[in-house]
Amino acid sequence: MDGTTDARLVAGPQESWYLHAVLKEGTRLGTLPRDPLTFVEVAEVVEVTTIRVPSGRLIVDSPWPEDTDPEFRTRVGRELAERLPPGAYRLEAAWTTGPYEFMGEDFDGREVAAVRLCVSQEQVVSWEMALSVSDDIEQIWPEDRIGFNSETNMGCFADATAWATLTETFCKFWRDSSAGRSASRETESLLGGWFERTSGESHRADLVTFCAESPGVVWLGRTQSRDIAAVVVADGLHPRAVSFSSAL
């Protein structure tokens, strides 16, 4: 690694601030766009599960085929160009609250604002967009934000070598269940259904889903030595989620 990152991939000041802040409990991120007097705060950062990535090749994408695919075939996963050291990694979720009232009822606005794959415990000093193996840096303009698309508002982390097997297992259960067909559950619901884990023992690899808006930009957190310490997807960076005017 040459120690440099193309400027088109580097997180801007607001993005960098948010990516650091959303992963710290108690941080006040900003206000609700619909209610500038109500703050969105990081309630907690919790461990969800552990994901095995034995090949070091990581896919971050929606596990579902495109709705426009008449044969409902497994999509080609968006594999990151960067490789991780093969191993098992902790997945964490940052939960935020932003209380609001709807039709006379109060809600705490609790939701997952970011998910983090913890590659190491070293401090992150910079953030950059993660390219996929098929992305061409020369086709990216400054301020472009590329990532995965999801028609179901769902993303996942998975080992690339087990992608086809894991997504087939995940999708089959939910397709059969939705159609009223009996199906043996080969997936595991986590944290009240916010996450879903599918494991493949033949590959000794895992797939874990999470909520994600499109485009799901994948961020790499780098250490001072330019190693990857974290892989993060943060929904809270969508402008309609948080107004940053009170936080910056």
Side-chain angles (χ1 to χ4, degrees), residues 58-69:
L58 182 67
I59 286 180
V60 189
D61 202 346
S62 168
W64 288 102
E66 302 288 349
D67 287 346
T68 54
D69 183 352

Side-chain angles (χ1 to χ4, degrees), residues 53-97:
V53 189
S55 69
R57 296 167 51 198
L58 182 67
I59 286 180
V60 189
D61 202 346
S62 168
W64 288 102
E66 302 288 349
D67 287 346
T68 54
D69 183 352
E71 298 182 11
F72 216 59
R73 293 165 296 191
T74 300
R75 69 195 294 157
V76 176
R78 187 174 187 269
E79 180 183 340
L80 303 191
E82 290 277 354
R83 296 288 185 263
L84 304 180
Y89 298 107
R90 187 174 73 256
L91 176 64
E92 295 180 340
W95 296 80
T96 57
T97 55

Side-chain angles (χ1 to χ4, degrees), residues 9-11 15 19 58-62 78-82 84 115-117 127-132 135 144-149 155-157 210 212-213 215-221 228 230-235 237-238:
L9 302 179
V10 176
E15 293 166 326
L19 288 164
L58 182 67
I59 286 180
V60 189
D61 202 346
S62 168
R78 187 174 187 269
E79 180 183 340
L80 303 191
E82 290 277 354
L84 304 180
V115 290
R116 170 171 60 183
L117 196 68
W127 297 93
E128 65 188 59
M129 274 195 307
L131 293 175
S132 76
D135 288 329
D144 278 355
R145 290 297 174 256
I146 59 172
F148 63 89
N149 294 315
C156 71
F157 291 110
F210 52 87
E213 297 184 0
V217 180
V218 183
W219 296 97
L220 302 178
I228 298 175
V231 183
V232 172
V233 178
D235 268 358
L237 278 170
H238 287 263

Side-chain angles (χ1 to χ4, degrees), residues 170-190:
F170 171 81
C171 293
K172 183 179 185 304
F173 170 76
W174 288 105
R175 285 200 301 266
D176 288 348
S177 298
S178 297
R181 297 188 293 267
S182 61
S184 60
R185 188 181 184 101
E186 297 184 57
T187 66
E188 178 186 2
S189 179
L190 303 172

Side-chain angles (χ1 to χ4, degrees), residues 15-57:
E15 293 166 326
S16 183
W17 177 89
Y18 186 88
L19 288 164
H20 282 293
V22 74
L23 296 166
K24 295 180 180 178
E25 293 184 6
T27 303
R28 180 172 286 183
L29 299 175
T31 60
L32 293 173
R34 61 180 178 271
D35 182 1
L37 298 180
T38 298
F39 286 97
V40 175
E41 299 182 342
V42 182
E44 59 180 338
V45 178
V46 300
E47 180 174 346
V48 178
T49 188
T50 299
I51 303 176
R52 295 171 294 178
V53 189
S55 69
R57 296 167 51 198

Side-chain angles (χ1 to χ4, degrees), residues 80-122:
L80 303 191
E82 290 277 354
R83 296 288 185 263
L84 304 180
Y89 298 107
R90 187 174 73 256
L91 176 64
E92 295 180 340
W95 296 80
T96 57
T97 55
Y100 66 95
E101 181 269 338
F102 180 70
M103 297 185 67
E105 188 173 354
D106 294 326
F107 298 89
D108 61 11
R110 182 179 171 87
E111 60 184 28
V112 176
V115 290
R116 170 171 60 183
L117 196 68
C118 301
V119 180
S120 79
Q121 296 300 313
E122 292 188 57

